[in-house]
Amino acid sequence: MRLLIVGGTGFLGGELARRALAAGHTVAATFMTRPGATPGVARSPLDVRDREAVAELVGTLAPDVVVNTAYRKPDWTATADGAAHVALAVAAAGGRLVHVSSDAVFSGEAVTYAEDSVPDPVSPYGAAKAAAEVAVRAIAPGAVVVRTSLIVGDGRSGHESFVRALATGQRQGVLFTDDVRCPVHVEDLAAALLELAGSDRRGIHHVAGADAVSRYELGCLVARRDGLDPARLARGRRADTDVPGPLDVRLDCTATQQVLRTRLRGAREFLR
């Protein structure tokens, strides 16, 4: 399989590239600012906000599958319009598209969300991700849209780095006890994306961890794994701040897990 990973040098994109190479696929990746250094990956600079550049690159490479992991939280054009540009390019080139979305498309009012739940975002980022989903499904009806949650793994994620900085006194801050998600290990998510890329699946799929944990509980799990004192982690409530976004959002992955060989582990398992 010829695979193009848009945003392929980030945390998830890099893991996906390594896993795809190990499986014998031909892998190309795009980057915005950092080209990455994974051996065997053909890298190309790309700004997904540039519709013509996206069309030219996808047309030239003619991949069998494009996995779009690219986003920029404060940038609607990159997150929403960029996803539409990728979908248009893939549709024109005749390939298959796997688009990575987020649990941020939900408000948290219902707490638990199945794959047929209607997005109701309450943050600008969530609204951009929801708009991206609409565009992708309209332009490329055969695409797979994968909603996921907080991505962690082996100390390399931003959340894990933040926890270590808090526990060692390098940074000040709090971890919210009422901000609940279903964290997924980056290796599980990458494996699931590759499975879906090579399948005939289409539409919305939820790929998140089996455990619902607060950011504070997740921080404690990370600290214990790394031999740090969880007691040094300050706790707080997101509801007492003006930080935008949902509180308790839990993705129901039952339907997708039934069709995947990859087992979606929970944080309490993969961080113990």
mmCIF file of all heavy atoms in Angstrom, residues 11-57:
data_model
loop_
_atom_site.group_PDB
_atom_site.id
_atom_site.type_symbol
_atom_site.label_atom_id
_atom_site.label_comp_id
_atom_site.label_asym_id
_atom_site.label_seq_id
_atom_site.Cartn_x
_atom_site.Cartn_y
_atom_site.Cartn_z
ATOM 1 N N PHE A 11 3.221 13.705 16.656
ATOM 2 C CA PHE A 11 3.233 12.582 17.600
ATOM 3 C C PHE A 11 2.522 11.367 17.009
ATOM 4 O O PHE A 11 3.087 10.269 16.925
ATOM 5 C CB PHE A 11 2.577 13.032 18.905
ATOM 6 C CG PHE A 11 2.527 11.983 19.980
ATOM 7 C CD1 PHE A 11 3.631 11.196 20.265
ATOM 8 C CD2 PHE A 11 1.370 11.804 20.723
ATOM 9 C CE1 PHE A 11 3.588 10.233 21.271
ATOM 10 C CE2 PHE A 11 1.311 10.850 21.735
ATOM 11 C CZ PHE A 11 2.421 10.064 22.000
ATOM 12 N N LEU A 12 1.287 11.549 16.570
ATOM 13 C CA LEU A 12 0.544 10.438 15.975
ATOM 14 C C LEU A 12 1.078 10.093 14.596
ATOM 15 O O LEU A 12 1.272 8.912 14.277
ATOM 16 C CB LEU A 12 -0.943 10.794 15.884
ATOM 17 C CG LEU A 12 -1.824 9.807 15.112
ATOM 18 C CD1 LEU A 12 -1.758 8.409 15.722
ATOM 19 C CD2 LEU A 12 -3.262 10.313 15.052
ATOM 20 N N GLY A 13 1.331 11.092 13.772
ATOM 21 C CA GLY A 13 1.802 10.834 12.414
ATOM 22 C C GLY A 13 3.112 10.077 12.375
ATOM 23 O O GLY A 13 3.307 9.180 11.555
ATOM 24 N N GLY A 14 4.013 10.407 13.298
ATOM 25 C CA GLY A 14 5.289 9.720 13.347
ATOM 26 C C GLY A 14 5.140 8.258 13.727
ATOM 27 O O GLY A 14 5.789 7.380 13.147
ATOM 28 N N GLU A 15 4.282 7.983 14.702
ATOM 29 C CA GLU A 15 4.039 6.595 15.103
ATOM 30 C C GLU A 15 3.381 5.818 13.977
ATOM 31 O O GLU A 15 3.713 4.655 13.716
ATOM 32 C CB GLU A 15 3.146 6.566 16.347
ATOM 33 C CG GLU A 15 2.787 5.166 16.822
ATOM 34 C CD GLU A 15 3.984 4.333 17.231
ATOM 35 O OE1 GLU A 15 4.970 4.905 17.758
ATOM 36 O OE2 GLU A 15 3.943 3.101 17.032
ATOM 37 N N LEU A 16 2.436 6.451 13.294
ATOM 38 C CA LEU A 16 1.766 5.798 12.172
ATOM 39 C C LEU A 16 2.762 5.482 11.058
ATOM 40 O O LEU A 16 2.722 4.394 10.466
ATOM 41 C CB LEU A 16 0.655 6.715 11.650
ATOM 42 C CG LEU A 16 -0.197 6.198 10.493
ATOM 43 C CD1 LEU A 16 -0.889 4.895 10.853
ATOM 44 C CD2 LEU A 16 -1.219 7.259 10.087
ATOM 45 N N ALA A 17 3.678 6.393 10.778
ATOM 46 C CA ALA A 17 4.686 6.163 9.739
ATOM 47 C C ALA A 17 5.583 4.989 10.101
ATOM 48 O O ALA A 17 5.860 4.116 9.264
ATOM 49 C CB ALA A 17 5.522 7.432 9.546
ATOM 50 N N ARG A 18 6.047 4.947 11.346
ATOM 51 C CA ARG A 18 6.922 3.843 11.771
ATOM 52 C C ARG A 18 6.202 2.497 11.667
ATOM 53 O O ARG A 18 6.772 1.502 11.201
ATOM 54 C CB ARG A 18 7.410 4.093 13.203
ATOM 55 C CG ARG A 18 8.427 5.206 13.333
ATOM 56 C CD ARG A 18 8.991 5.292 14.731
ATOM 57 N NE ARG A 18 8.015 5.812 15.680
ATOM 58 C CZ ARG A 18 7.825 7.096 15.927
ATOM 59 N NH1 ARG A 18 8.530 8.012 15.271
ATOM 60 N NH2 ARG A 18 6.939 7.490 16.821
ATOM 61 N N ARG A 19 4.957 2.478 12.082
ATOM 62 C CA ARG A 19 4.193 1.227 12.062
ATOM 63 C C ARG A 19 3.917 0.791 10.621
ATOM 64 O O ARG A 19 3.982 -0.398 10.298
ATOM 65 C CB ARG A 19 2.898 1.405 12.841
ATOM 66 C CG ARG A 19 2.062 0.157 12.999
ATOM 67 C CD ARG A 19 0.951 0.390 13.996
ATOM 68 N NE ARG A 19 1.461 0.499 15.344
ATOM 69 C CZ ARG A 19 1.619 -0.520 16.171
ATOM 70 N NH1 ARG A 19 1.298 -1.750 15.774
ATOM 71 N NH2 ARG A 19 2.094 -0.357 17.379
ATOM 72 N N ALA A 20 3.605 1.734 9.753
ATOM 73 C CA ALA A 20 3.329 1.406 8.349
ATOM 74 C C ALA A 20 4.574 0.881 7.650
ATOM 75 O O ALA A 20 4.507 -0.080 6.869
ATOM 76 C CB ALA A 20 2.790 2.644 7.629
ATOM 77 N N LEU A 21 5.724 1.484 7.923
ATOM 78 C CA LEU A 21 6.972 0.994 7.338
ATOM 79 C C LEU A 21 7.264 -0.432 7.798
ATOM 80 O O LEU A 21 7.669 -1.279 6.992
ATOM 81 C CB LEU A 21 8.129 1.914 7.733
ATOM 82 C CG LEU A 21 8.224 3.263 7.029
ATOM 83 C CD1 LEU A 21 9.266 4.136 7.706
ATOM 84 C CD2 LEU A 21 8.581 3.074 5.546
ATOM 85 N N ALA A 22 7.054 -0.672 9.086
ATOM 86 C CA ALA A 22 7.315 -2.011 9.625
ATOM 87 C C ALA A 22 6.410 -3.052 8.981
ATOM 88 O O ALA A 22 6.786 -4.229 8.885
ATOM 89 C CB ALA A 22 7.122 -2.007 11.134
ATOM 90 N N ALA A 23 5.224 -2.622 8.535
ATOM 91 C CA ALA A 23 4.288 -3.550 7.889
ATOM 92 C C ALA A 23 4.572 -3.709 6.399
ATOM 93 O O ALA A 23 3.860 -4.454 5.717
ATOM 94 C CB ALA A 23 2.858 -3.056 8.089
ATOM 95 N N GLY A 24 5.600 -3.027 5.895
ATOM 96 C CA GLY A 24 5.993 -3.180 4.502
ATOM 97 C C GLY A 24 5.358 -2.209 3.527
ATOM 98 O O GLY A 24 5.477 -2.379 2.312
ATOM 99 N N HIS A 25 4.684 -1.178 4.043
ATOM 100 C CA HIS A 25 4.043 -0.213 3.157
ATOM 101 C C HIS A 25 5.043 0.849 2.695
ATOM 102 O O HIS A 25 6.063 1.092 3.356
ATOM 103 C CB HIS A 25 2.879 0.471 3.872
ATOM 104 C CG HIS A 25 1.828 -0.487 4.348
ATOM 105 N ND1 HIS A 25 1.165 -1.345 3.507
ATOM 106 C CD2 HIS A 25 1.330 -0.732 5.600
ATOM 107 C CE1 HIS A 25 0.297 -2.069 4.191
ATOM 108 N NE2 HIS A 25 0.391 -1.721 5.466
ATOM 109 N N THR A 26 4.751 1.491 1.583
ATOM 110 C CA THR A 26 5.523 2.634 1.105
ATOM 111 C C THR A 26 4.911 3.884 1.723
ATOM 112 O O THR A 26 3.715 4.139 1.563
ATOM 113 C CB THR A 26 5.474 2.737 -0.424
ATOM 114 O OG1 THR A 26 6.021 1.539 -0.984
ATOM 115 C CG2 THR A 26 6.262 3.933 -0.918
ATOM 116 N N VAL A 27 5.736 4.657 2.431
ATOM 117 C CA VAL A 27 5.195 5.752 3.235
ATOM 118 C C VAL A 27 5.783 7.091 2.824
ATOM 119 O O VAL A 27 6.999 7.249 2.707
ATOM 120 C CB VAL A 27 5.477 5.521 4.737
ATOM 121 C CG1 VAL A 27 4.871 6.653 5.577
ATOM 122 C CG2 VAL A 27 4.927 4.172 5.185
ATOM 123 N N ALA A 28 4.884 8.058 2.603
ATOM 124 C CA ALA A 28 5.261 9.452 2.420
ATOM 125 C C ALA A 28 4.558 10.258 3.492
ATOM 126 O O ALA A 28 3.489 9.873 3.983
ATOM 127 C CB ALA A 28 4.868 9.951 1.037
ATOM 128 N N ALA A 29 5.156 11.378 3.890
ATOM 129 C CA ALA A 29 4.574 12.196 4.954
ATOM 130 C C ALA A 29 4.771 13.664 4.639
ATOM 131 O O ALA A 29 5.764 14.054 4.014
ATOM 132 C CB ALA A 29 5.223 11.860 6.299
ATOM 133 N N THR A 30 3.818 14.483 5.075
ATOM 134 C CA THR A 30 3.969 15.924 4.927
ATOM 135 C C THR A 30 4.281 16.542 6.272
ATOM 136 O O THR A 30 3.992 15.976 7.328
ATOM 137 C CB THR A 30 2.696 16.574 4.364
ATOM 138 O OG1 THR A 30 1.687 16.636 5.386
ATOM 139 C CG2 THR A 30 2.176 15.819 3.150
ATOM 140 N N PHE A 31 4.873 17.734 6.220
ATOM 141 C CA PHE A 31 5.173 18.456 7.449
ATOM 142 C C PHE A 31 4.951 19.947 7.207
ATOM 143 O O PHE A 31 5.010 20.420 6.074
ATOM 144 C CB PHE A 31 6.615 18.202 7.906
ATOM 145 C CG PHE A 31 7.666 18.719 6.963
ATOM 146 C CD1 PHE A 31 8.196 19.988 7.125
ATOM 147 C CD2 PHE A 31 8.118 17.940 5.907
ATOM 148 C CE1 PHE A 31 9.170 20.467 6.254
ATOM 149 C CE2 PHE A 31 9.093 18.411 5.023
ATOM 150 C CZ PHE A 31 9.624 19.683 5.200
ATOM 151 N N MET A 32 4.686 20.660 8.308
ATOM 152 C CA MET A 32 4.489 22.100 8.243
ATOM 153 C C MET A 32 5.774 22.842 8.588
ATOM 154 O O MET A 32 6.212 23.711 7.853
ATOM 155 C CB MET A 32 3.369 22.505 9.197
ATOM 156 C CG MET A 32 3.040 23.981 9.180
ATOM 157 S SD MET A 32 2.244 24.492 7.651
ATOM 158 C CE MET A 32 1.800 26.182 8.087
ATOM 159 N N THR A 33 6.384 22.480 9.727
ATOM 160 C CA THR A 33 7.591 23.178 10.172
ATOM 161 C C THR A 33 8.759 22.237 10.440
ATOM 162 O O THR A 33 9.910 22.593 10.208
ATOM 163 C CB THR A 33 7.307 23.993 11.452
ATOM 164 O OG1 THR A 33 6.775 23.130 12.459
ATOM 165 C CG2 THR A 33 6.302 25.106 11.163
ATOM 166 N N ARG A 34 8.479 21.022 10.936
ATOM 167 C CA ARG A 34 9.550 20.080 11.297
ATOM 168 C C ARG A 34 9.507 18.880 10.366
ATOM 169 O O ARG A 34 8.514 18.149 10.344
ATOM 170 C CB ARG A 34 9.400 19.616 12.745
ATOM 171 C CG ARG A 34 9.536 20.721 13.779
ATOM 172 C CD ARG A 34 9.223 20.200 15.163
ATOM 173 N NE ARG A 34 7.846 19.740 15.255
ATOM 174 C CZ ARG A 34 7.441 18.747 16.046
ATOM 175 N NH1 ARG A 34 8.310 18.081 16.775
ATOM 176 N NH2 ARG A 34 6.164 18.396 16.081
ATOM 177 N N PRO A 35 10.550 18.638 9.603
ATOM 178 C CA PRO A 35 10.519 17.548 8.625
ATOM 179 C C PRO A 35 10.576 16.153 9.225
ATOM 180 O O PRO A 35 10.228 15.182 8.566
ATOM 181 C CB PRO A 35 11.752 17.808 7.756
ATOM 182 C CG PRO A 35 12.674 18.591 8.633
ATOM 183 C CD PRO A 35 11.796 19.435 9.502
ATOM 184 N N GLY A 36 10.997 16.019 10.479
ATOM 185 C CA GLY A 36 11.095 14.684 11.071
ATOM 186 C C GLY A 36 12.313 13.943 10.548
ATOM 187 O O GLY A 36 13.009 14.395 9.641
ATOM 188 N N ALA A 37 12.562 12.778 11.128
ATOM 189 C CA ALA A 37 13.777 12.048 10.762
ATOM 190 C C ALA A 37 13.563 10.551 10.691
ATOM 191 O O ALA A 37 14.497 9.782 10.881
ATOM 192 C CB ALA A 37 14.879 12.364 11.785
ATOM 193 N N THR A 38 12.344 10.114 10.401
ATOM 194 C CA THR A 38 12.095 8.680 10.309
ATOM 195 C C THR A 38 12.702 8.121 9.027
ATOM 196 O O THR A 38 12.308 8.524 7.933
ATOM 197 C CB THR A 38 10.582 8.388 10.324
ATOM 198 O OG1 THR A 38 10.002 8.970 11.493
ATOM 199 C CG2 THR A 38 10.327 6.887 10.318
ATOM 200 N N PRO A 39 13.677 7.208 9.122
ATOM 201 C CA PRO A 39 14.290 6.649 7.911
ATOM 202 C C PRO A 39 13.254 5.920 7.061
ATOM 203 O O PRO A 39 12.370 5.241 7.583
ATOM 204 C CB PRO A 39 15.333 5.668 8.472
ATOM 205 C CG PRO A 39 15.569 6.099 9.877
ATOM 206 C CD PRO A 39 14.270 6.655 10.356
ATOM 207 N N GLY A 40 13.376 6.081 5.759
ATOM 208 C CA GLY A 40 12.488 5.364 4.853
ATOM 209 C C GLY A 40 11.215 6.096 4.493
ATOM 210 O O GLY A 40 10.419 5.607 3.682
ATOM 211 N N VAL A 41 10.999 7.274 5.081
ATOM 212 C CA VAL A 41 9.800 8.056 4.802
ATOM 213 C C VAL A 41 10.150 9.218 3.873
ATOM 214 O O VAL A 41 11.062 10.003 4.170
ATOM 215 C CB VAL A 41 9.177 8.611 6.100
ATOM 216 C CG1 VAL A 41 7.987 9.519 5.788
ATOM 217 C CG2 VAL A 41 8.739 7.466 6.998
ATOM 218 N N ALA A 42 9.440 9.325 2.757
ATOM 219 C CA ALA A 42 9.626 10.447 1.845
ATOM 220 C C ALA A 42 8.849 11.638 2.394
ATOM 221 O O ALA A 42 7.633 11.570 2.564
ATOM 222 C CB ALA A 42 9.124 10.085 0.451
ATOM 223 N N ARG A 43 9.541 12.745 2.685
ATOM 224 C CA ARG A 43 8.906 13.888 3.352
ATOM 225 C C ARG A 43 8.760 15.070 2.405
ATOM 226 O O ARG A 43 9.677 15.396 1.649
ATOM 227 C CB ARG A 43 9.710 14.282 4.586
ATOM 228 C CG ARG A 43 9.676 13.243 5.689
ATOM 229 C CD ARG A 43 10.547 13.636 6.869
ATOM 230 N NE ARG A 43 11.971 13.534 6.539
ATOM 231 C CZ ARG A 43 12.673 12.416 6.645
ATOM 232 N NH1 ARG A 43 12.090 11.305 7.052
ATOM 233 N NH2 ARG A 43 13.952 12.404 6.340
ATOM 234 N N SER A 44 7.603 15.734 2.506
ATOM 235 C CA SER A 44 7.321 16.899 1.666
ATOM 236 C C SER A 44 6.711 18.001 2.516
ATOM 237 O O SER A 44 5.808 17.729 3.326
ATOM 238 C CB SER A 44 6.332 16.543 0.546
ATOM 239 O OG SER A 44 6.820 15.517 -0.275
ATOM 240 N N PRO A 45 7.166 19.249 2.342
ATOM 241 C CA PRO A 45 6.515 20.356 3.063
ATOM 242 C C PRO A 45 5.127 20.594 2.479
ATOM 243 O O PRO A 45 4.923 20.484 1.271
ATOM 244 C CB PRO A 45 7.442 21.541 2.798
ATOM 245 C CG PRO A 45 8.132 21.205 1.504
ATOM 246 C CD PRO A 45 8.271 19.709 1.487
ATOM 247 N N LEU A 46 4.163 20.891 3.341
ATOM 248 C CA LEU A 46 2.805 21.151 2.863
ATOM 249 C C LEU A 46 2.048 21.982 3.881
ATOM 250 O O LEU A 46 2.021 21.670 5.066
ATOM 251 C CB LEU A 46 2.048 19.840 2.621
ATOM 252 C CG LEU A 46 0.623 19.998 2.081
ATOM 253 C CD1 LEU A 46 0.649 20.536 0.654
ATOM 254 C CD2 LEU A 46 -0.133 18.676 2.141
ATOM 255 N N ASP A 47 1.393 23.034 3.381
ATOM 256 C CA ASP A 47 0.472 23.827 4.176
ATOM 257 C C ASP A 47 -0.927 23.469 3.698
ATOM 258 O O ASP A 47 -1.305 23.798 2.572
ATOM 259 C CB ASP A 47 0.748 25.318 3.974
ATOM 260 C CG ASP A 47 -0.097 26.209 4.869
ATOM 261 O OD1 ASP A 47 -1.123 25.726 5.382
ATOM 262 O OD2 ASP A 47 0.266 27.391 5.040
ATOM 263 N N VAL A 48 -1.695 22.771 4.528
ATOM 264 C CA VAL A 48 -3.004 22.293 4.088
ATOM 265 C C VAL A 48 -3.979 23.433 3.816
ATOM 266 O O VAL A 48 -5.040 23.220 3.216
ATOM 267 C CB VAL A 48 -3.628 21.310 5.105
ATOM 268 C CG1 VAL A 48 -2.815 20.026 5.179
ATOM 269 C CG2 VAL A 48 -3.785 21.957 6.476
ATOM 270 N N ARG A 49 -3.627 24.649 4.225
ATOM 271 C CA ARG A 49 -4.479 25.791 3.924
ATOM 272 C C ARG A 49 -4.399 26.195 2.456
ATOM 273 O O ARG A 49 -5.242 26.934 1.967
ATOM 274 C CB ARG A 49 -4.090 26.980 4.819
ATOM 275 C CG ARG A 49 -4.308 26.711 6.311
ATOM 276 C CD ARG A 49 -3.726 27.807 7.170
ATOM 277 N NE ARG A 49 -2.273 27.873 7.031
ATOM 278 C CZ ARG A 49 -1.488 28.680 7.743
ATOM 279 N NH1 ARG A 49 -2.035 29.488 8.654
ATOM 280 N NH2 ARG A 49 -0.188 28.681 7.570
ATOM 281 N N ASP A 50 -3.390 25.695 1.764
ATOM 282 C CA ASP A 50 -3.183 25.994 0.351
ATOM 283 C C ASP A 50 -3.818 24.885 -0.486
ATOM 284 O O ASP A 50 -3.230 23.823 -0.688
ATOM 285 C CB ASP A 50 -1.679 26.093 0.072
ATOM 286 C CG ASP A 50 -1.368 26.547 -1.342
ATOM 287 O OD1 ASP A 50 -2.209 26.352 -2.250
ATOM 288 O OD2 ASP A 50 -0.267 27.087 -1.557
ATOM 289 N N ARG A 51 -5.008 25.131 -0.981
ATOM 290 C CA ARG A 51 -5.760 24.093 -1.692
ATOM 291 C C ARG A 51 -5.011 23.585 -2.921
ATOM 292 O O ARG A 51 -4.957 22.371 -3.178
ATOM 293 C CB ARG A 51 -7.123 24.654 -2.104
ATOM 294 C CG ARG A 51 -7.967 23.695 -2.935
ATOM 295 C CD ARG A 51 -9.332 24.276 -3.209
ATOM 296 N NE ARG A 51 -10.084 23.469 -4.167
ATOM 297 C CZ ARG A 51 -11.331 23.727 -4.527
ATOM 298 N NH1 ARG A 51 -11.969 24.766 -4.007
ATOM 299 N NH2 ARG A 51 -11.948 22.958 -5.409
ATOM 300 N N GLU A 52 -4.410 24.480 -3.687
ATOM 301 C CA GLU A 52 -3.702 24.067 -4.902
ATOM 302 C C GLU A 52 -2.488 23.213 -4.567
ATOM 303 O O GLU A 52 -2.195 22.240 -5.270
ATOM 304 C CB GLU A 52 -3.300 25.293 -5.711
ATOM 305 C CG GLU A 52 -4.484 26.049 -6.310
ATOM 306 C CD GLU A 52 -4.052 27.216 -7.175
ATOM 307 O OE1 GLU A 52 -2.825 27.470 -7.265
ATOM 308 O OE2 GLU A 52 -4.924 27.876 -7.764
ATOM 309 N N ALA A 53 -1.758 23.582 -3.517
ATOM 310 C CA ALA A 53 -0.576 22.805 -3.129
ATOM 311 C C ALA A 53 -0.966 21.399 -2.694
ATOM 312 O O ALA A 53 -0.279 20.418 -3.020
ATOM 313 C CB ALA A 53 0.170 23.521 -2.001
ATOM 314 N N VAL A 54 -2.075 21.294 -1.958
ATOM 315 C CA VAL A 54 -2.541 19.974 -1.529
ATOM 316 C C VAL A 54 -2.910 19.122 -2.735
ATOM 317 O O VAL A 54 -2.515 17.950 -2.846
ATOM 318 C CB VAL A 54 -3.752 20.101 -0.575
ATOM 319 C CG1 VAL A 54 -4.302 18.717 -0.226
ATOM 320 C CG2 VAL A 54 -3.353 20.841 0.700
ATOM 321 N N ALA A 55 -3.653 19.704 -3.669
ATOM 322 C CA ALA A 55 -4.069 18.968 -4.871
ATOM 323 C C ALA A 55 -2.866 18.522 -5.688
ATOM 324 O O ALA A 55 -2.832 17.390 -6.199
ATOM 325 C CB ALA A 55 -4.995 19.838 -5.709
ATOM 326 N N GLU A 56 -1.874 19.396 -5.814
ATOM 327 C CA GLU A 56 -0.687 19.058 -6.603
ATOM 328 C C GLU A 56 0.091 17.904 -5.982
ATOM 329 O O GLU A 56 0.506 16.967 -6.675
ATOM 330 C CB GLU A 56 0.214 20.283 -6.739
ATOM 331 C CG GLU A 56 1.464 20.025 -7.574
ATOM 332 C CD GLU A 56 2.340 21.247 -7.724
ATOM 333 O OE1 GLU A 56 1.973 22.319 -7.214
ATOM 334 O OE2 GLU A 56 3.421 21.116 -8.342
ATOM 335 N N LEU A 57 0.290 17.948 -4.648
ATOM 336 C CA LEU A 57 1.071 16.900 -3.995
ATOM 337 C C LEU A 57 0.359 15.552 -4.061
ATOM 338 O O LEU A 57 0.970 14.535 -4.409
ATOM 339 C CB LEU A 57 1.344 17.274 -2.542
ATOM 340 C CG LEU A 57 2.179 16.259 -1.762
ATOM 341 C CD1 LEU A 57 3.576 16.150 -2.341
ATOM 342 C CD2 LEU A 57 2.251 16.622 -0.283
#
